[in-house]
């Protein structure tokens, strides 16, 4: 397996529900970032959490980081149809940013 | 997305063609990147330029040749590609290279199809 693995690979929910995606990694990191990608488009940086931080919020996004378990989670609260996209975690380690394979989130209206 | 632009957005080329992808960033960043995104695979970092110097080349075949004439522009020159090179090619930029501290900004990508 590789650095930055997301779980689940695909998630389907109804509008208004919360969506939780998880990311696990293997090596020590400087920071962990979450990105969103709409179909066939570029990635959009959502949030960055440093290795000495445990939780961070941005609007409806909440990211947690557990360095002892080498894992992070992204929670999207009160999801909207417009949140439908692929979500990637990426870890920065020794100056290198490595992406996972992503979670495909579908939010049904 | 308008901070980083890429042209063309779509490209179809034969295996004997030579073409170039262009990326331009308007964010005042000093590091630029080329990524390859294929179906069902993680985003693959191809090249990194910091202050116009190539600082990383992740074992990319020589049929891909990057060029960074200044801190705002990045090119990817393509020649004698293979069908398996068909993918979405993404350009990104960031402020600072060593340990990206504020995230990377991505362009919309070029969808490349090699026939």
């Amino acid at each position: 397996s590789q650095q930055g693995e997301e779980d689940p690979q695909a998630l389907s929910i109804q509008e208004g529900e919360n969506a939780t995606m998880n990311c696990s990694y293997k090596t020590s990191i400087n920071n962990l970032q979450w990105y969103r990608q709409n179909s066939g488009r570029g990635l959009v940086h959502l949030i960055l959490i440093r290795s000495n931080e445990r939780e961070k919020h941005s609007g409806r996004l909440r990211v947690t980081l557990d360095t002892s378990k080498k894992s992070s989670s992204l929670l999207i609260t009160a999801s909207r149809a417009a949140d439908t996209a692929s979500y990637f975690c990426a870890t920065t380690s020794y100056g290198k940013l490595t992406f996972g394979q992503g979670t495909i989130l579908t939010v049904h209206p | 997305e308008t901070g980083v632009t890429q042209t063309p957005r779509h490209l179809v080329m034969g295996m004997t063609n030579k073409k170039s992808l262009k990326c331009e960033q308007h964010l005042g960043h000093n590091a630029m990147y080329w990524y390859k995104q294929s179906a069902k695979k993680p985003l693959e970092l191809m090249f990194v330029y910091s202050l116009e110097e190539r600082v990383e080349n992740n074992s990319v075949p020589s049929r891909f040749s990057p060029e960074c004439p200044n801190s705002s522009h990045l090119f990817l020159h393509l020649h004698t590609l293979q069908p398996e090179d068909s993918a979405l090619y993404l350009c990104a930029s960031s402020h600072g290279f060593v340990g990206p501290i504020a995230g990377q900004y991505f362009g919309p990508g070029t969808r490349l199809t090699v026939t």
Side-chain angles (χ1 to χ4, degrees), chain A residues 14-33:
Chain A
Q14 294 296 126
E15 209 166 26
E17 294 179 341
N18 295 342
T20 300
M21 289 160 270
N22 302 297
C23 170
S24 60
Y25 57 91
K26 290 190 163 185
T27 64
S28 62
I29 61 171
N30 301 112
N31 63 58
L32 186 144
Q33 304 173 32

Side-chain angles (χ1 to χ4, degrees), chain A residues 28-32 49-52 91-96, chain B residues 99:
Chain A
S28 62
I29 61 171
N30 301 112
N31 63 58
L32 186 144
I49 186 165
R50 292 182 171 78
S51 59
N52 60 354
T91 54
T92 301
S93 180
Y94 300 104
K96 190 168 181 177

